[in-house]
Amino acid sequence: MPARKEILEVAGREVAVSNPDKIFFPELGLTKIDLVRYYLAVAEGALRGVDGRPMALKRFVNGADGEFFFQKRAPSSRPDWIETVELQFPSGRTAHEIVVRDAAQLAWIVNLGCIDLNPHPVRADDLDHPDEFRVDLDPVPGVGWSQILEVAVATRDVLEEFGLRGWPKTSGSRGVHVYARIERRWTFPEVRRAAVALAREVERREPDLATSKWWKEERHGVFLDYNQNAKDRTVASAYSVRPTPDGRVSTPLTWDEVPGCEPEAFTIRTVPGRFEREGHPWAGIDDAGGSLEPLLELSAQHEAAGFADAPWPPQYEKQANEPPRVQPSKKRGGPPTPEGIVPPPAPGKTAGPTGRRRTTMPLIEIARAATEREALEGLERWRGKHPTVVPHLEPADVMVDSMRGRSTTWTRIRVNLRHVPEDERPLQEELEIDYDPWEGVEWPS
């Protein structure tokens, strides 16, 4: 018996929603068709965040609790009214990605299982010059929501002093995004360079709250992730639903709303009503394009003072002025004398918290999970087993890493016991969650 489809009339077109009754948010009892109807209810706002931009498809074919995968290439089987544009990635490869301009196209990609929307910061008619400057405020585990909001306000103030208007939204996850429209005059490396300068300036003004440090062992407070402005990076756009149990939404705000906002208030159930009552707080964003010249001048001042480029993500080519891509704790001078140890793996595993690398830090591994939520649940179980250890841990001691798998990411959690007295440090135990992203893969001999 063929699977049921529901046909929707959207923007003068027929959009087929396959398996409309498939549960996408189990705790809410919401289905795929509920997700499609959410996006149609906020389409004016959601389209403003993606209009004319190529988009990487982040597909949750089994709902928010299932695994996801990124699909950069547009499906070969698609209606003739689905627009695409060819992108070239830092690797040199190319792909045709989908460009959304109307509500029918929006509903069509949501039907593919795209819970959140992940557009590039460029328009399809000029893929080399971003018009969107993105500030991603990423808190270290344990940082309170109020501190994140303080850093958001500090970011707004710095942007304004350097001639840009910031537009805030909740990320729908743990942080806050602040966007600024910019003139289409600068390349990706120049936009990222401006983002590094901004991050360092916010850190200078709020040293106890914010950080521009790339390496997790050096971070504290809220990290301003400048690398989200590198080419081929995407961020969940305005009105994107996130794959959380309560269906949180990355929701645009006014600055007056920021100090008292609570992220759990903005969900797939509440945001349509808010949008109907109050409209889109970012309605004027496309008329607010500004110049990056003041931030680039600040970057030049930093360079003249001896600041090197900040580290790039590992998949990018090494840059001329970039510092060595090695964690500070692993830097060595003089003869290459081995330091530290290779921490033992968990029972039944062949690799431990650092793989084959040595470290001087007392690291243990807690979980390897398909999703961050499962990994954090494992961390909570571990905390319950070691109540005397937990008070010694600082936020930066708990490292939650997104790892690359075959076609998706998985989550690893490690704990640094450096602040725990040696005689109280727990040994490496079996993993609380033991997920193997490579299970079933047949490797060539």
Side-chain angles (χ1 to χ4, degrees), residues 258-274:
V258 167
C261 78
E262 296 292 343
E264 62 270 19
F266 307 110
T267 70
I268 188 173
R269 282 181 165 159
T270 64
V271 167
R274 166 188 163 88

Side-chain angles (χ1 to χ4, degrees), residues 49-71:
V50 302
D51 183 30
R53 302 184 185 279
M55 183 184 304
L57 303 179
K58 184 181 177 185
R59 298 181 62 181
F60 294 80
V61 294
N62 292 312
D65 276 2
E67 294 186 20
F68 69 87
F69 62 93
F70 277 104
Q71 180 175 338

Side-chain angles (χ1 to χ4, degrees), residues 338-361:
E339 298 175 4
I341 63 168
V342 177
K349 310 307 292 182
T350 58
T354 61
R356 294 191 295 267
R357 293 178 299 172
R358 292 176 175 267
T359 180
T360 58
M361 296 293 180

